[in-house]
Amino acid sequence: SLDFEDLRAYEYGDQVRDIDWRATARAGEPLVKRSRANRMHTVLFVVDTGRPMTALAADESPKRELAVLATGALGVLTLRHGDDVSLVHGDAAGVRRRPPGRSEGALEHALRTVDDAIRSSTAPSDRDALLRYVARTIARRMIVVIVTDEAPVTDETERLLRRLRVQHDLLWLTLADADPV
């Protein structure tokens, strides 16, 4: 939707359809009505909660904590902007989805879900299953944030990412493993 922002004097090159004719009649000079787009977005966090996410990250902190921290930080920014937050998480045992929410309570619940899922995971990661789920079930345009392990990108992953890029805006976050040496 468009919200009224202000009126300003007409300048050469402005669209004629933007002229506010009532304000122009009152002021005696052409005035252009400016509007601001009010867009509601949904940020979908796609979090890999497989067994590799229980390892240590490059800075030797648990990947689980980094996944929750990254999701939480971006989630808070999303809520402050007035947008919705949703979550898809899973591993080779299955993919699960939380409905969109627009409150800090909904974000907190999503973060606890990610933390609990990683803690209790015994199945390997299946990033392609997560991406297939999003491609198959999410029809509305969203900002998709993928939080995943440092697994190699396969041809199937690249194909799914190309498919998702057509419909969504993507942000990919990789949590690197700690150096074993």
Side-chain angles (χ1 to χ4, degrees), residues 144-157:
V144 179
V145 179
I146 302 161
V147 181
T148 186
D149 186 37
E150 177 178 51
V153 176
T154 64
D155 291 339
E156 175 69 6
T157 305

Side-chain angles (χ1 to χ4, degrees), residues 45-50 52-59 61-76 87-90 107 110-119 125 145-150 173-176:
F45 292 97
V46 179
V47 183
D48 178 3
T49 57
M53 294 296 280
T54 61
L56 294 179
D59 66 350
S61 63
K63 284 185 183 180
R64 171 185 46 80
E65 290 178 8
L66 291 178
V68 170
L69 182 65
T71 304
L74 292 172
V76 166
L87 172 71
V88 170
H89 67 95
L107 176 61
L111 296 175
R112 287 185 192 277
T113 301
V114 168
D115 188 54
D116 293 342
I118 293 173
R119 281 181 194 270
S125 292
V145 179
I146 302 161
V147 181
T148 186
D149 186 37
E150 177 178 51
L173 299 175
T174 300
L175 302 178

Side-chain angles (χ1 to χ4, degrees), residues 90-128:
D91 51 26
V95 176
R96 291 157 295 286
R97 181 177 181 200
R98 292 205 35 77
R102 193 175 293 160
S103 67
E104 288 183 12
L107 176 61
E108 180 70 25
H109 195 68
L111 296 175
R112 287 185 192 277
T113 301
V114 168
D115 188 54
D116 293 342
I118 293 173
R119 281 181 194 270
S120 64
S121 179
T122 58
S125 292
D126 192 354
R127 180 174 54 206
D128 290 346

Side-chain angles (χ1 to χ4, degrees), residues 160-178:
L160 288 165
L161 288 173
R162 277 194 304 274
R163 181 176 172 192
L164 288 172
R165 267 191 229 125
V166 170
Q167 183 176 3
H168 306 289
D169 295 318
L170 299 181
L171 176 64
W172 183 281
L173 299 175
T174 300
L175 302 178
D177 290 325

